[in-house]
Amino acid sequence: MEYKILYIEDENANSIKSDIESDGISVDVLQPAGFEMDLNKLCENTYDAFIMDFRLTAGVGKVDAPTFATTLRTEGTNQKKVPIIMISTERNLPHFENDSTSQDLFDIVIGKEAFRRNHQKYTTRIKSFIEAYRTIAQFNFDIKTILDIDDISELDYRFIFKLECYKSRGDIYGYLRFINNSLVRAIGPLVGPEVLAARLGIDINEDDKDFQKLVTMPEFTKCKYTGVLSNTYNRWWFDKIQILWQSISPVSLRRTIAKGRVDILNQRYNLKLRYAIPLEMATSSTFWTICHEYKKPLDPTDGYQFRNRHLDEWLEPEYISLKGALEFPDKQEFLSPLDKEEVRSLGKEANER
């Protein structure tokens, strides 16, 4: 098998080991025996990745996954230059999420239940991270090669500066984590399929088949992101999508309602795409983003900025619809005080009707 990983688990590991190996990855299992002994075991072999259960103290082990991960990230061994994945039961994930000191240690965090439901998805992701680490090391942090772009001047200078800082420290983990969080898994220069569909006015929940036909056409394929992690996350350079749109229509994409956008695409490409309609409690179909909760098209003017994390300057805000904010009241804590007050007022009015 091409990849070899070490799985640290204090309970029965057979099921997950079998799932991973069925997807083409060789797995060694380590049951915790003692921190120093286990750490020596981690460092004496060359593995492509480590997978760790969050809790490792059911047997004779004395420390949990964050302690191992911290040591591997800081000891200066070659082992810190491979992905570290945390996998744990969903009941333990809140303990991890509430521990701010552990947030910057793992490349991927997976619930065991989710992994068992779709192990191919997650083993593909693990392979993608392994390949990304290799690419960054092989090409010595070269941005053009790693992101597979022709001209880095098209990127925000602050994004480039931060990548150069990680390069100066030889920090592959930090470099890739920054790309993942601040480019690939955010709305900004790159957009995912839900946001792309929203901006094109398409309801992919009703018509995913023709959407897939559209985005696999040569014009759209040229807009795809093909750098590290692209084999696990489908993303498109939106500047290129904008240029493509200008070549097929004189009307502004941003100012055209969903039906108008879809009519243009259907006529141009001989498709039968269906246009999206506003969510309940929304009115505009000049969609440009998606609701954080429902992942459906939303005009930002119909939504509220969802401030659940720090956004770098080149990224766009996330939004939640009024419907989402009312049906998931715990999400209101991420709204501004004025937006929170408005949502509660509108919800009260709706209940009184």
Side-chain angles (χ1 to χ4, degrees):
M1 295 183 182
E2 185 178 358
Y3 306 103
K4 182 180 180 182
I5 66 173
L6 182 65
Y7 178 22
I8 308 171
E9 173 62 86
D10 59 343
E11 297 182 340
N12 192 317
N14 291 338
S15 174
I16 290 179
K17 171 181 164 68
S18 177
D19 285 340
I20 296 172
E21 291 189 327
S22 71
D23 294 323
I25 299 177
S26 175
V27 180
D28 289 344
V29 175
L30 172 65
Q31 288 192 316
F35 180 68
E36 292 297 333
M37 187 184 305
D38 296 335
L39 190 61
N40 289 335
K41 175 69 175 178
L42 288 169
C43 296
E44 69 186 25
N45 290 295
T46 301
Y47 290 98
D48 296 305
F50 297 117
I51 298 181
M52 306 176 183
D53 189 7
F54 180 50
R55 297 296 188 199
L56 295 170
T57 55
V60 298
K62 302 298 182 184
V63 300
D64 291 323
T67 303
F68 281 108
T70 299
T71 305
L72 289 169
R73 295 291 187 204
T74 59
E75 282 292 305
T77 69
N78 288 331
Q79 298 295 353
K80 75 173 183 175
K81 296 182 180 179
V82 300
I84 304 177
I85 297 96
M86 192 187 80
I87 185 166
S88 192
T89 58
E90 291 178 1
R91 70 174 182 274
N92 281 334
L93 288 181
H95 298 290
F96 167 76
E97 292 165 356
N98 292 331
D99 181 6
S100 60
T101 62
S102 301
Q103 298 300 311
D104 295 333
L105 296 172
F106 301 94
D107 296 274
I108 311 171
V109 177
I110 314 170
K112 286 184 178 179
E113 296 83 351
F115 183 88
R116 293 189 181 103
R117 287 193 298 269
N118 196 350
H119 62 83
Q120 287 184 328
K121 168 186 173 181
Y122 291 107
T123 51
T124 297
R125 190 166 296 174
I126 291 168
K127 292 176 184 178
S128 183
F129 272 83
I130 292 172
E131 288 300 326
Y133 269 72
R134 291 179 178 179
T135 298
I136 295 167
Q138 179 183 354
F139 294 100
N140 193 30
F141 298 86
D142 181 70
I143 299 174
K144 289 174 62 175
T145 304
I146 290 159
L147 299 183
D148 195 21
I149 56 177
D150 295 325
D151 186 1
I152 66 170
S153 67
E154 296 177 4
L155 299 170
D156 189 286
Y157 73 93
R158 292 160 294 193
F159 177 79
I160 297 171
F161 174 77
K162 290 192 176 183
L163 283 181
E164 291 293 343
C165 289
Y166 288 113
K167 176 181 178 178
S168 68
R169 299 195 293 268
D171 184 356
I172 295 178
Y173 165 68
Y175 192 94
L176 182 60
R177 180 180 176 85
F178 184 67
I179 290 173
N180 188 33
N181 291 340
S182 296
L183 181 67
V184 175
R185 298 186 64 195
I187 302 173
L190 296 181
V191 296
E194 293 91 354
V195 175
L196 177 62
R199 292 185 179 183
L200 296 176
I202 302 168
D203 186 343
I204 55 175
N205 294 301
E206 293 294 329
D207 200 5
D208 183 61
K209 185 177 179 181
D210 268 20
F211 177 70
Q212 292 306 320
K213 287 181 182 178
L214 178 70
V215 298
T216 53
M217 290 180 174
E219 299 99 311
F220 282 85
T221 300
K222 290 177 182 177
C223 301
K224 281 208 75 174
Y225 169 68
T226 52
V228 292
L229 306 181
S230 61
N231 55 347
T232 192
Y233 295 108
N234 283 322
R235 297 294 185 265
W236 290 261
W237 293 104
F238 194 69
D239 281 351
K240 293 184 178 182
I241 295 290
Q242 290 269 49
I243 294 170
L244 171 59
W245 179 266
Q246 291 167 7
S247 74
I248 65 177
S249 173
V251 301
S252 166
L253 179 61
R254 180 66 181 92
R255 297 177 182 177
T256 305
I257 63 172
K259 184 179 185 304
R261 301 174 192 177
V262 169
D263 286 345
I264 291 168
L265 292 170
N266 282 337
Q267 182 176 2
R268 170 78 177 195
Y269 297 106
N270 193 28
L271 296 172
K272 295 181 180 178
L273 298 160
R274 297 185 183 182
Y275 63 88
I277 61 174
L279 283 163
E280 183 183 346
M281 300 179 143
T283 58
S284 173
S285 68
T286 52
F287 305 121
W288 207 246
T289 188
I290 55 174
C291 170
H292 183 272
E293 285 303 310
Y294 296 112
K295 310 303 180 188
K296 291 187 176 182
L298 181 70
D299 183 334
T301 61
D302 274 334
Y304 301 91
Q305 280 198 31
F306 194 73
R307 307 165 190 267
N308 66 328
R309 67 183 182 116
H310 167 75
L311 289 177
D312 293 300
E313 296 86 345
W314 55 89
L315 300 179
E316 299 182 22
E318 295 182 67
Y319 290 84
I320 189 169
S321 64
L322 175 58
K323 177 179 170 64
L326 290 174
E327 294 203 3
F328 299 91
D330 58 310
K331 303 299 182 181
Q332 293 178 21
E333 67 175 294
F334 300 113
L335 305 182
S336 71
L338 285 176
D339 285 348
K340 193 182 302 183
E341 183 179 344
E342 180 177 310
V343 166
R344 290 171 178 171
S345 175
L346 292 172
K348 185 178 179 180
E349 289 178 13
N351 290 332
E352 289 174 350
R353 290 173 190 163

